[in-house]
Amino acid sequence: MVKDGNNGAASFVPDRLDLASLRTAAAGCEGCDLYRDATQTVFGEGPERARFMLVGEQPGDQEDRRGHPFVGPAGRVLDRGLEEAGIARDEVYLTNAVKHFSFTPRGKRRIHQKPTAAEIDACHPWLDAELAAVRPEVVVVLGATAARALLGPSFRVTRHRGEAVPLGEAVAVATVHPSAVLRAPDRDAAYADFLADLKAAAHAA
């Protein structure tokens, strides 16, 4: 397939919108330039008819190397929060707004770099396809990048976190990305707020 610079990932999305077909097609996506330096596409994971879809920003260093979403330190925060909020992992589909790791090399380290608006927009067809395939009841929006992708550039997580807002046939509940909990000066307070948002999402289902 030829990359269409104006179309992002759209030309790579298959006609068949089941998760297996989407994952296979996404492995070859060249809808933006992030694929050039990333190790691999990190597609979403979870059951086809999950009640909850959790959408983060992008894969991190460990996710990029291992090929699975939320397997690094932020993922451990998320796992703890889901358990304490009463959200079973077998009811959760995990994905990111952007499917390739965006980073800046610094010596042997790869430093996370926030995806650009163009990269978020280019990857959006995959997110639309995942929503169509999974048809979740509740979409948990993790951080500003996911909020921009799903709720628009004017949405502010800090202003509306924990609130249930319409999103197609589902409802969306926004909170911070779990990595923000790890960076917070008061990690316990940040985690308590994060957990409260996850509990709000659990009650919205």
Side-chain angles (χ1 to χ4, degrees):
M1 259 182 257
V2 177
K3 174 180 164 184
D4 181 344
N6 297 321
N7 222 13
S11 58
F12 295 88
V13 177
D15 293 332
R16 187 170 176 177
L17 295 182
D18 63 85
L19 291 179
S21 299
L22 292 174
R23 185 172 292 108
T24 298
C29 185
E30 299 178 1
C32 77
D33 287 339
L34 290 181
Y35 81 94
R36 297 180 186 279
D37 296 319
T39 304
Q40 59 194 313
T41 303
V42 182
F43 204 68
E45 292 183 353
E48 187 97 31
R49 287 288 181 266
R51 292 179 70 203
F52 299 89
M53 178 184 281
L54 275 64
V55 182
E57 179 184 272
Q58 65 163 343
D61 181 77
Q62 292 187 39
E63 287 82 2
D64 174 70
R65 296 180 193 280
R66 295 164 63 181
H68 302 286
F70 290 96
V71 293
R76 290 190 286 275
V77 173
L78 182 59
D79 286 344
R80 177 188 167 195
L82 291 173
E83 182 177 356
E84 294 182 6
I87 298 175
R89 279 302 300 268
D90 62 3
E91 293 187 325
V92 170
Y93 181 86
L94 288 173
T95 192
N96 285 295
V98 173
K99 309 301 195 235
H100 285 110
F101 181 32
S102 175
F103 64 91
T104 301
R106 188 174 299 167
K108 293 184 178 180
R109 298 178 64 204
R110 302 188 301 172
I111 306 302
H112 163 276
Q113 183 169 309
K114 185 175 180 179
T116 66
E119 289 160 353
I120 297 166
D121 292 345
C123 211
H124 203 281
W126 292 120
L127 199 51
D128 283 341
E130 288 173 298
L131 284 165
V134 177
R135 295 169 58 192
E137 294 178 28
V138 179
V139 179
V140 181
V141 180
L142 300 169
T145 296
R148 187 199 185 285
L150 289 164
L151 300 171
S154 63
F155 185 90
R156 294 291 176 266
V157 173
T158 50
R159 194 175 303 158
H160 299 291
R161 62 183 299 176
E163 299 177 10
V165 297
L167 182 65
E169 296 181 3
V171 296
V173 177
T175 185
V176 297
H177 194 280
S179 62
V181 175
L182 295 172
R183 295 193 304 266
D186 187 339
R187 194 177 292 184
D188 290 341
Y191 177 77
D193 291 341
F194 177 67
L195 178 58
D197 296 336
L198 292 181
K199 287 180 176 178
H203 292 146

